[in-house]
Amino acid sequence: MAIGLVAASLSGVPAVAAPQVAAPGAAICTGSSVGPGIAPPSRVALGIPGFHASWYGQSGYPTLCPGERSNAVVAFYNSGSRGWVSGRMGEVAYLGTWNGDPGQDEPTVLGGNGELGSPQTGWPRFNRVAAQPSDYVGPGQVAWFQFTIQAPDRPGFYRLYIRPLVEGATWMEDAGVYWQVTVLGADGTAPAGRVSSRVPAPIEDTSPGWAPAAFNNVGFAQPPGDGIVLSGGTTGSWTSSWQTTRFSFSQLIPSWTADTPAGSWIEVEIQARTAAGRETRWWRMGIWAYGDETIRRTSVSGQSDADGVVETDTFKTRAEKMTAYRARVTLSRTTAAGATPALRRIYAVVSDTRSYMPRYPSPRYTDRAMELSVPRYSQEIHAGEFPQYDGGGEAWCSPTSTEMVVEYWNKRPATDELAWVGAHADPQVDYAARFTFDTAYGGTGNWPFNTAYASRFGLSARVLQLGSLNDAERYIAAGVPLVASISHAPGALPGFLNNDGTNGHLLVIIGFTSSGDVIANDPAATSNATVHRVYGREAFERAWIGGSGGVVYVIATPNTFVP
């Protein structure tokens, strides 16, 4: 679309409505519209020395179906003493992306030139919404900037803040101008909350399909959608097809759901591929069984080469990023007559957050307060218990958090399963620690081991990364608490039990205050009664996104819907 700008005198400027231009969108959604235009102010300044601009009206805010486009028009009055000259650096006028969303000079999902994750909507650059096409806009004249907005696929209320500038010279007045874009659901329903217009962090949640794949002495469970089992004998493997990712990734975290009857276990491996097609070695991501009577559940230490390194449960690349991966799962049992293990689901979250600069704090998804009734358990009251499982206290943040969420869904170990714990308080926490313990790591914080533990109770559980607290609010609004991995410097998270900070800690996000602060069940508490905490939004987001890259355990019933 051509970018339009018309210079006019102050008097007689017509009201301009933005015509809607429909691109292919969801066939069911038919509720698109454009609201009424916003009239100009009654008075504006004139002749201020230098480059200056005053807002002078705009077309209405659009309501769009996913993928649809709309034209937008905004007018700025040249209230300065100098004219705007097209094509001349230091004198040409643009509209640029601005704070608070997506941020100064940041790309946005609402439009751009196709660079840095922006859609191709004809903007001059990913962060320049419209340029001055006319030769000259003099003092006392009005410039009508026209540009195209495209609705993202995710429903929500989006805002695009814009500010005029003279490229190479100065930003002009910040009048707080923004476009609000309402994106309906694919079925035409109204969105539930606000979504940031910034290009999201490069994170992709993937799950390889069962076929096409390489089957080696394994076959489909019955019914076929229930996963993979041994065909016979004591060992077999399933190898997925190559999974091409939307971007080059620098990190991969697998997780899985599996059944491992006594005498059986699985091993999970991943292999990555470069953009040039070179394949890495196979990386061993875990030898796992729910119980510990047959094998010692463990990650595999010492895996490192020029391509990457495995840090307990996470594969990280070296300088060269990867563009595809595949998974291999080996199923084993001690005897051919024994019960077969069953691989039910395999997941992998890939990301490149090391090349992404987050903005804090993220905008609110909703202004309403939300809080889920999640059971409260302290890790600290277990200090010194079961040294063979890393001794409780500071070491048990992950299984304590996982157990809180498992019980939120009205699941827990049976009474007879807890008999070995003895007289300790909250024996289910000790139980979770035992059945998430990683022998090589020497602790209970292995992320996929925790989600695999939770899945044993018939829950859907996997490791994910989220890009912001705005994303986390969607889960809370849907009734899904999140186990979040944080780290922070001394004093950086006011209210945290240990003012010395932490290199790694897990807690449960259970809600948000009306001002957007995080309500947490933090097991780093001296008693169950003091587990409930409220952390400042920005400080928590820095500790979470800046710490683990937004890692969470998503644990829910299989039919739980998150919009």
Side-chain angles (χ1 to χ4, degrees):
M1 189 206 79
I3 304 297
L5 182 152
V6 178
S9 64
L10 179 57
S11 61
V13 177
V16 176
Q20 185 174 301
V21 182
I28 300 175
C29 178
T30 59
S32 305
S33 64
V34 175
I38 303 173
S42 58
R43 298 179 62 185
V44 288
L46 177 64
I48 305 171
F51 291 115
H52 295 276
S54 297
W55 173 84
Y56 200 72
Q58 63 190 64
S59 57
Y61 298 143
T63 296
L64 303 172
C65 296
E68 282 189 326
R69 293 185 174 189
S70 176
N71 287 351
V73 180
V74 61
F76 280 95
Y77 171 73
N78 184 346
S79 55
S81 63
R82 298 186 61 180
W84 306 339
V85 182
S86 177
R88 185 179 297 175
M89 183 62 68
E91 296 183 60
V92 59
Y94 283 87
L95 298 181
T97 56
W98 191 246
N99 298 321
D101 205 11
Q104 180 180 345
D105 291 327
E106 294 290 345
T108 171
V109 294
L110 294 174
N113 66 346
E115 295 180 349
L116 298 184
S118 67
Q120 174 54 270
T121 61
W123 293 9
R125 293 198 297 280
F126 66 87
N127 58 6
R128 294 292 179 262
V129 180
Q132 172 190 338
S134 61
D135 290 337
Y136 184 73
V137 181
Q141 292 185 317
V142 175
W144 294 86
F145 292 86
Q146 181 174 267
F147 52 94
T148 297
I149 287 174
Q150 178 171 305
D153 291 333
R154 177 178 165 184
F157 301 103
Y158 294 81
R159 284 189 177 182
L160 170 65
Y161 281 80
I162 53 178
R163 182 175 176 180
L165 72 151
V166 173
E167 196 71 80
T170 185
W171 288 90
M172 293 186 283
E173 280 74 3
D174 178 9
V177 178
Y178 64 83
W179 237 259
Q180 178 152 304
V181 181
T182 301
V183 179
L184 302 173
D187 57 357
T189 55
R194 182 181 168 193
V195 181
S196 174
S197 70
R198 195 181 189 214
V199 171
I203 298 170
E204 185 177 7
D205 178 27
T206 69
S207 181
W210 294 130
F215 292 77
N216 176 21
N217 198 37
V218 296
F220 288 114
Q222 295 301 318
D226 281 355
I228 302 297
V229 296
L230 283 169
S231 300
T234 58
T235 188
S237 64
W238 168 87
T239 305
S240 76
S241 59
W242 283 100
Q243 309 297 302
T244 302
T245 55
R246 292 187 291 103
F247 51 83
S248 298
F249 66 88
S250 58
Q251 177 175 288
L252 181 152
I253 307 169
S255 52
W256 56 86
T257 296
D259 298 333
T260 53
S264 70
W265 65 96
I266 66 171
E267 179 172 2
V268 177
E269 300 170 278
I270 63 101
Q271 185 181 34
R273 190 170 67 189
T274 68
R278 183 176 58 81
E279 299 174 4
T280 71
R281 59 182 279 186
W282 282 98
W283 303 92
R284 305 175 71 190
M285 303 305 298
I287 301 169
W288 184 85
Y290 178 78
D292 51 14
E293 68 278 355
T294 304
I295 61 151
R296 300 175 70 187
R297 184 186 320 104
T298 187
S299 54
V300 179
S301 304
Q303 299 181 78
S304 176
D305 65 13
D307 287 323
V309 59
V310 172
E311 297 180 356
T312 304
D313 46 21
T314 304
F315 167 66
K316 296 184 177 181
T317 70
R318 302 294 190 188
E320 186 174 13
K321 299 173 186 176
M322 303 294 160
T323 59
Y325 79 91
R326 61 178 174 173
R328 180 168 69 194
V329 182
T330 301
L331 288 69
S332 301
R333 56 187 172 186
T334 53
T335 66
T340 177
L343 175 66
R344 301 300 186 187
R345 289 295 298 270
I346 182 79
Y347 310 94
V349 57
V350 297
S351 64
D352 187 31
T353 55
R354 75 185 184 193
S355 62
Y356 175 80
M357 185 64 68
R359 292 181 61 87
Y360 306 114
S362 61
R364 291 297 316 277
Y365 179 71
T366 174
D367 292 331
R368 66 185 176 92
M370 304 179 288
E371 183 170 355
L372 305 178
S373 298
V374 178
R376 302 172 185 175
Y377 293 129
S378 162
Q379 70 194 47
E380 303 297 338
I381 66 172
H382 296 277
E385 297 173 5
F386 297 101
Q388 65 270 41
Y389 307 127
D390 207 18
E394 297 291 330
W396 281 7
C397 59
S398 186
T400 307
S401 297
T402 299
E403 188 61 30
M404 285 192 259
V405 178
V406 167
E407 294 191 26
Y408 167 79
W409 296 106
N410 296 314
K411 307 288 185 179
R412 61 177 291 163
T415 301
D416 61 341
E417 293 178 303
L418 301 175
W420 62 271
V421 177
H424 295 306
D426 302 331
Q428 63 271 39
V429 172
D430 302 74
Y431 182 93
R434 173 181 172 180
F435 290 98
T436 56
F437 184 73
D438 177 342
T439 301
Y441 175 61
T444 58
N446 184 303
W447 292 332
F449 285 12
N450 275 261
T451 55
Y453 164 80
S455 69
R456 179 259 187 182
F457 297 95
L459 297 170
S460 172
R462 66 192 188 277
V463 180
L464 275 183
Q465 287 178 261
L466 302 180
S468 68
L469 284 174
N470 184 279
D471 292 332
E473 285 175 289
R474 286 191 300 130
Y475 285 86
I476 300 303
V480 180
L482 299 168
V483 179
S485 177
I486 66 171
S487 63
H488 59 86
L493 186 61
F496 188 68
L497 179 66
N498 185 353
N499 195 54
D500 292 337
T502 175
N503 291 326
H505 177 67
L506 289 111
L507 50 69
V508 186
I509 300 175
I510 66 167
F512 292 86
T513 68
S514 58
S515 60
D517 292 335
V518 176
I519 306 173
N521 274 7
D522 190 343
T526 56
S527 67
N528 289 352
T530 57
V531 163
H532 187 271
R533 305 285 176 82
V534 176
Y535 292 121
R537 186 180 185 89
E538 181 169 348
F540 186 91
E541 199 161 30
R542 288 182 181 276
W544 174 47
I545 301 297
S548 68
V551 167
V552 292
Y553 308 162
V554 177
I555 302 169
T557 56
N559 58 352
T560 300
F561 173 72
V562 179

